[in-house]
Structure formats: C-alpha cells, structure tokens
Amino acid sequence: MAAFLKTLVLCLALVHLSEAREFHVGNSWQIPSSPDAFDKWAQKNRFEIGDSIVLKYDGKKDSVVEVNEADYRSCIKANPIKTYNDGNTKITLEKSGLFFFISGAEGHCEKGQKLEVRVLSANHHPHSTVAPAPSPVAHHHHAPAPAPHNGGATLQFGVLGGVAAALVIALV
C-alpha cells in the first residue's frame, strides 16, 4: 500500500509540474494607465512552452497584432505575423523566445498598449521552485535517469513519461 501511495503522489507531482497555465493579461486589452504597464506585468510572470495568454477587448474597436521586434518598437502593424480580433483572444505560446503584440487600434500602441512576452526554454523549470518532501520510508530503489530534453516535445512527453517512470518505480 505504501508503494502505491508513493507512486500516486509522484504521478500527481509530475502532472502538476507539466501543466500548462493560462495568463489573463490585465483587466482588459486597452490603453494602460502607464505606458509600460503591460511589459511590467509580463516581466513579473514566467511563461513556459504550452502556456497561454488571454486578452479581452471589444473586437469591434480593437485587435491584437503579433509583430516582429522592430515593428513592436515602432508600433507598425502593416506586416503582422498574426492578427486576432475576436474580443477574447487566447494565444498558446508554442516555442521559447520573445513574442511581440501590439494593439490594432489607431494610436493605441503609441500610448503603451503593447506587450512583450518572453517564453522560457524547456531547460528552465520555474514551476518547480519548491522541492517535494522526502519520503518517510527508506527504499533502495534508484530513480530512472531523466529523459533527454528535446525542445517543445518535453512538455508533450512530460505527463506520459512521468506516469511511466512512476510505474517503473512501483514495479521495481
């Protein structure tokens, strides 16, 4: 029974660590009270591959435009990577690196309605800042070697790999 409980706790911990999170950008996607409000918000958060950002706004009056860094700095929306105008935009961050978003409404970007998001690589693990408690029962099992990191595939493999590893530990 103790082995089963240990396996269950390990599985739940691994599932929690590999969960994608959803971030709601401010109260709404509109001209902020200070020009750097959205960037300050983004800097306080740690985004990983698979996480999503959600922006809410009036889709008849505004939009979200993903642009390159130069267009972000200059508030140019003429060469969008992608444009969203549904009023409740959910963008999944599918790779590491920098992402740049500006408002599609005239003059809004210049007033600070823009957002720079840094997505951490698969090698960073900000979700796991607290170490799991040690098991009260001493076992002579060796943990399996960690799976090699393979970019974005790590998160996709995370839950299944964690369950498989837990089963191996339970069967040994």
Side-chain angles (χ1 to χ4, degrees):
M1 184 67 165
F4 171 75
L5 288 176
K6 182 179 177 183
T7 302
L8 180 61
V9 169
L10 180 62
C11 286
L12 291 174
L14 290 171
V15 167
H16 174 72
L17 291 176
S18 63
E19 281 180 1
R21 298 173 301 160
E22 191 172 275
F23 294 87
H24 292 261
V25 180
N27 293 330
S28 65
W29 181 241
Q30 61 187 12
I31 297 173
S33 57
S34 69
D36 57 352
F38 286 117
D39 285 337
K40 282 184 177 180
W41 172 84
Q43 291 168 3
K44 290 179 185 176
N45 291 291
R46 297 292 175 252
F47 304 96
E48 290 186 325
I49 297 168
D51 288 345
S52 299
I53 58 172
V54 177
L55 301 105
K56 295 183 185 246
Y57 53 94
D58 183 347
K60 294 176 183 161
K61 297 179 181 178
D62 205 348
S63 61
V64 179
V65 182
E66 183 178 352
V67 295
N68 64 37
E69 185 173 4
D71 288 350
Y72 171 83
R73 303 267 177 243
S74 303
C75 289
I76 297 172
K77 55 186 177 266
N79 307 306
I81 294 170
K82 201 163 194 180
T83 301
Y84 307 89
N85 57 10
D86 61 359
N88 189 19
T89 298
K90 180 177 179 178
I91 301 169
T92 301
L93 305 168
E94 297 176 345
K95 62 182 181 176
S96 63
L98 293 173
F99 293 84
F100 302 94
F101 304 96
I102 62 174
S103 169
E106 198 61 43
H108 285 210
C109 177
E110 292 81 358
K111 294 177 181 173
Q113 190 177 344
K114 58 185 191 173
L115 173 67
E116 178 180 333
V117 174
R118 178 181 302 276
V119 179
L120 299 175
S121 70
N123 295 331
H124 291 87
H125 299 288
H127 295 286
S128 58
T129 55
V130 177
S135 172
V137 179
H139 290 285
H140 298 289
H141 301 296
H142 296 285
H149 286 88
N150 186 18
T154 302
L155 278 179
Q156 295 171 352
F157 179 75
V159 173
L160 294 176
V163 171
L167 291 174
V168 168
I169 291 170
L171 294 174
V172 174

